Amino acid sequence: MVRAVTPPTLSDAPLAPGLYVVATPIGNLRDITLRALDVLGQADLVLAEDTRVTGKLLHAYGLSAKLERHDEHAAERVRPKVLAALVAGQRVALVSDAGTPLISDPGYRLVREAAAAGHAVFPIPGASALLAGLSAGGLPTDRFLFVGFPPPKSAARRTFLAEFAGVRATLVFFEGGSRLADSLADMAAVLGDREAVVCRELTKLYETFYRGPLDVLAADPRLDAPKGEIVILVAPGREIEATAADADAALADALSRLKPAAAAAEVAKALGLPRRDLYRRALELKP
């Protein structure tokens, strides 16, 4: 016998004073938690990246709240007012247009200052494009590095990408549709033929995943300025075994500072080579 499940109702338990960092939907309007609705329904003040976007969300759930703009332009001006509200024992909610606040969004200074002043800061977890992409992308998730939006110009973007070429973790980027093809081309040039996934319009009606090597994705006409929000996942780079020349160069540098045993230990750790062999070579190279 299957029993009907009664949907949980919103809580009427009083909300404690403090700053609430509230995740909001990234696409599908139902990507919001009941706890987030509890907080938004009782907050004395809601800080919104765009009050129009948040206003629509509140309206959809029959909620009303005092809204205050809090984006990169208004944050400095609004922060003293928010801290004063917390001193007065109010409940303040911080939201972004979509997803979890502070992930490529303003807000960390407010959280830092609120915590430093002794106010409670409550995370209200929920939707995140970063985690949604990782969960369905199919690339390794045991280690990943979120690097946000690449620079808009190609030269700066390639310099930026080179910083992460040696990272042994899945790389996660946000990107706008208009720059997607150019970014993928630069990633292919700098990072090589790694497997990648382009996640478009996550949790929305036209959610799509494109998988393949970076150079193939860069040439895919479907990814030439598509509409919508984009998350790019790039697989970790392959390990490259150090050559004898690499070992000699590293040992020569280490021997200029250390005794042979210590030099061999340092290079073994850095290059993943046998310490015993490196020690013998260090004795040969020592002046």
Side-chain angles (χ1 to χ4, degrees):
M1 176 179 175
V2 178
R3 295 187 179 184
V5 177
T6 303
T9 57
L10 297 184
S11 172
D12 57 2
L15 198 64
L19 177 63
Y20 292 78
V21 185
V22 183
T24 56
I26 60 174
N28 191 309
L29 195 61
R30 297 180 70 82
D31 289 338
I32 192 165
T33 68
L34 293 172
R35 189 177 177 210
L37 294 176
D38 288 341
V39 171
L40 294 176
Q42 295 187 52
D44 300 298
L45 175 65
V46 175
L47 304 175
E49 188 178 2
D50 186 326
T51 56
R52 296 167 299 181
V53 172
T54 303
K56 291 178 181 177
L57 174 65
L58 295 176
H59 178 75
Y61 285 98
L63 303 176
S64 61
K66 181 180 179 182
L67 293 172
E68 180 87 36
R69 180 185 171 201
H70 185 275
D71 58 14
E72 58 183 344
H73 304 293
E76 294 293 328
R77 173 181 56 81
V78 172
R79 195 178 308 128
K81 177 180 178 180
V82 175
L83 293 172
L86 293 173
V87 169
Q90 294 189 10
R91 295 81 54 87
V92 179
L94 172 66
V95 303
S96 65
D97 284 352
T100 302
L102 277 68
I103 308 301
S104 275
D105 282 317
Y108 86 90
R109 289 186 178 87
L110 174 61
V111 170
R112 182 180 62 190
E113 292 190 22
H119 303 297
V121 179
F122 303 97
I124 310 299
S128 166
L130 161 66
L131 296 178
L134 281 168
S135 68
L139 294 183
T141 57
D142 54 333
R143 287 189 295 174
F144 61 89
L145 176 64
F146 174 63
V147 292
F149 285 93
K153 301 295 184 181
S154 181
R157 187 161 53 228
R158 291 193 177 206
T159 300
F160 171 82
L161 292 169
E163 296 179 28
F164 309 107
V167 174
R168 296 288 180 255
T170 295
L171 302 177
V172 187
F173 302 85
F174 286 168
E175 188 54 287
S178 62
R179 292 198 296 265
L180 178 58
D182 290 339
S183 280
L184 289 171
D186 285 339
M187 289 177 188
V190 175
L191 302 177
D193 61 344
R194 302 188 194 186
E195 287 297 311
V197 183
V198 175
C199 316
R200 175 177 169 270
E201 294 286 78
L202 287 169
T203 83
K204 297 181 182 178
L205 179 62
Y206 297 106
E207 174 184 271
T208 315
F209 294 86
Y210 304 89
R211 297 177 170 87
L214 279 168
D215 57 342
V216 173
L217 292 173
D220 190 328
R222 296 173 298 175
L223 300 180
D224 185 8
K227 294 180 180 179
E229 303 296 327
I230 306 293
V231 177
I232 305 171
L233 311 176
V234 179
R238 303 184 187 92
E239 295 232 16
I240 300 174
E241 187 173 343
T243 65
D246 294 330
D248 281 357
L251 281 171
D253 174 69
L255 285 168
S256 68
R257 299 175 281 104
L258 304 168
K259 292 182 178 181
E266 179 182 285
V267 175
K269 183 177 181 181
L271 300 184
L273 296 174
R275 181 179 177 278
R276 181 179 299 177
D277 295 344
L278 290 169
Y279 178 63
R280 285 198 294 264
R281 183 59 177 158
L283 292 176
E284 294 172 0
L285 293 175
K286 185 183 178 188

